[in-house]
């Protein structure tokens, strides 16, 4: 950990190089992490504005959203859970590279065309938070809050430890998370954004949206780094 921080400190003092191809970055973009060519790896693709899944023509709602609308109004993401984006999420989450949060937020914030009035995040149960030492969604929410100039508030708590969602059926996923979250304070605004690092099935954010909507919030948006469809089984 200390070695990582030291290397980052040294790297910050040196002329900037693209993290992916290692070529020098032009002087006017010294604060950037990627060169112009490699930024193309993170370029947005056409997606349904509502569910965030790939869709031709960027409709406000795709056919699936028209028949089964999600509880949220809009989902903003950087891309699918695949290289090189996924590796930055993993570095933040599993290798404690906190500085990746700011970098990932910089890729997402330009896409948020209609910012919410308040930003919050998916809570971790305190036991998991104690084990990991931090909540990656909270780190991302802090960075996005600064970059988008939206106030940040922690409004959720996790009331019990839940099994990982991967590998569960839709019904099991819903059961696994039912009553797993609580609203700890009532946001006094109409539009709230929930930050999650990766949205796959959407079950977690679905439960959190429901808490906010039941409490009278009019619109909920989702800000995530990766949005990826469920793997077909
Ligand atoms: Zn590059
Ligand atoms: Zn959709």
């Amino acid at each position: 950990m200390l070695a990582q921080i030291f290397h980052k400190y040294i790297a910050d003092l040196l002329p900037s190089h693209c993290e992916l191809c290692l070529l020098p970055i032009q002087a006017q973009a010294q604060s950037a992490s990627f060169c112009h060519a490699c930024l193309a790896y993170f370029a947005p693709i056409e997606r349904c504005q509502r569910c965030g899944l790939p869709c031709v023509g960027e409709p406000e709602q795709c056919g699936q959203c028209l028949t089964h609308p999600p509880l949220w109004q809009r989902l903003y993401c950087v891309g699918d859970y695949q290289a090189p984006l996924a590796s930055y999420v993993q570095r933040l989450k599993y290798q404690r590279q906190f500085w990746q949060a700011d970098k990932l937020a910089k890729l997402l914030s330009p896409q948020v065309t209609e910012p919410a009035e308040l930003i919050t995040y998916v809570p971790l149960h305190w036991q998991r938070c104690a084990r990991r030492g931090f909540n990656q969604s909270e780190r991302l929410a802090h960075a996005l809050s600064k970059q988008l100039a939206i106030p940040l508030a922690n409004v959720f708590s996790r009331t019990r430890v839940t099994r990982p969602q991967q590998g569960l059926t839709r019904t099991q996923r819903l059961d696994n998370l039912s009553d797993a979250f609580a609203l700890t304070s009532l946001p006094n605004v109409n539009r709230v954004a929930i930050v999650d690092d990766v949205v796959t099935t959407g079950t977690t954010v679905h439960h959190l949206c429901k808490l906010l909507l039941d409490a009278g919030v009019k619109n909920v948006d989702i800000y995530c780094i990766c949005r990826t469809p469920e793997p077909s089984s």
Side-chain angles (χ1 to χ4, degrees), residues 48-53 61-65:
C48 164
Q49 294 180 23
R50 183 114 190 221
C51 65
L53 291 175
Q61 308 201 62
C62 65
Q64 178 69 13
C65 287

Side-chain angles (χ1 to χ4, degrees), residues 35-189:
C35 72
H36 194 66
C38 288
L39 264 181
Y41 288 115
F42 305 100
I45 59 164
E46 289 184 329
R47 293 173 182 274
C48 164
Q49 294 180 23
R50 183 114 190 221
C51 65
L53 291 175
C55 190
V56 177
E58 289 193 37
E60 281 184 21
Q61 308 201 62
C62 65
Q64 178 69 13
C65 287
L66 284 170
T67 50
H68 297 94
L71 290 181
W72 61 83
Q73 284 302 310
R74 186 133 191 200
L75 184 146
Y76 295 99
C77 68
V78 180
D80 286 350
Y81 192 71
Q82 63 184 23
L85 184 59
S87 76
Y88 285 94
V89 173
Q90 289 160 5
R91 287 181 216 183
L92 167 65
K93 201 164 167 175
Y94 304 116
Q95 296 178 22
R96 298 167 151 258
Q97 293 188 5
F98 303 133
W99 54 91
Q100 304 295 356
D102 202 46
K103 193 182 300 171
L104 289 167
K106 272 188 192 148
L107 293 171
L108 181 62
S109 52
Q111 307 212 28
V112 181
T113 47
E114 294 171 56
E117 295 161 83
L118 185 82
I119 200 162
T120 188
Y121 49 87
V122 173
L124 267 192
H125 190 271
W126 66 268
Q127 284 178 6
R128 188 162 297 168
C129 202
R131 236 188 350 255
R132 188 177 291 165
F134 69 103
N135 175 351
Q136 73 281 358
S137 296
E138 180 182 0
R139 295 279 170 161
L140 289 167
H142 268 285
L144 286 164
S145 159
K146 255 196 253 160
Q147 291 172 26
L148 293 166
I150 308 174
L152 173 82
N154 175 17
V155 302
F156 300 117
S157 69
R158 204 136 182 161
T159 52
R160 60 183 174 82
V161 184
T162 53
R163 286 193 288 161
Q165 292 285 89
Q166 289 94 331
L168 303 182
T169 65
R170 183 177 156 73
T171 318
Q172 285 171 331
R173 286 198 307 268
L174 286 168
D175 281 353
N176 186 36
L177 291 184
S178 71
D179 302 324
F181 303 105
L183 201 59
T184 52
S185 67
L186 184 59
N188 190 24
V189 293

